[in-house]
Amino acid sequence: FQNGVEFEPDVKALYAESWNQAKNETIRLMEHVDELMPHKVMNTTSLNDTRRVIVELTRPLAEITVAIQENIQIIEDSKVLSQHASKQADGLQKHLHCEGVTLEYHELDFPRTVCAHSDCTKYVAVGKDKIQQMTYPQKCHKKCTLSGIQTETVGDPRLRFCNAML
């Protein structure tokens, strides 16, 4: 008789049997837990660290995957270009020979005098690097008669006696 509720004897027996079974299972659970060895906390920490590393690596791995896919596409494009260039190479084969440019040296009948004044010089881009080279298109004295000065001489003080310099 509980709170004014009366139970039949067979129901009370069922409840008592249920209670005893729950008590026995709880005791059995506690005995099992008591027999277990505690796990090492570092193992749990290690698992958490591993999970953190995996989560942190997802973005770099995704970026690497995109880069690999881009490289594969570039390689495929290069293959197509290579095949196209191979077809063109046959046509270009006949143009492989290049004549080039040769310089010829002509000795003049009379020496000429040129000066380095800005009115008499010009800069010209030379070679594939387009380096600026000074040239002397203006011949200041076409028939210089100074004696004792070698041709192709630069900076000889006797050149100041040339008529072009006076």
Side-chain angles (χ1 to χ4, degrees), residues 75-147:
I75 289 169
E76 292 299 322
D77 293 346
S78 295
K79 283 182 184 177
V80 171
L81 286 174
S82 174
Q83 291 168 350
H84 182 67
S86 178
K87 291 175 185 173
Q88 285 184 333
D90 295 335
L92 295 174
Q93 194 103 26
K94 58 185 167 196
H95 298 292
L96 284 178
H97 183 68
C98 179
E99 287 296 322
V101 176
T102 55
L103 298 176
E104 294 181 12
Y105 180 79
H106 295 284
E107 194 162 331
L108 301 174
D109 295 333
F110 295 97
R112 293 181 181 173
T113 303
V114 295
C115 69
H117 188 272
S118 61
D119 292 343
C120 301
T121 59
K122 179 179 168 186
Y123 284 92
V124 177
V126 176
K128 68 177 182 180
D129 295 332
K130 304 295 183 196
I131 295 173
Q132 296 292 312
Q133 179 73 41
M134 183 187 294
T135 61
Y136 305 94
Q138 175 68 36
K139 309 314 181 238
C140 299
H141 192 194
K142 291 184 182 179
K143 275 190 168 181
C144 186
T145 56
L146 284 176
S147 60

Side-chain angles (χ1 to χ4, degrees), residues 146-150 153-161:
L146 284 176
S147 60
I149 299 175
Q150 294 285 328
T153 299
V154 177
D156 189 314
R158 293 175 289 176
L159 286 173
R160 68 175 184 236
F161 297 114

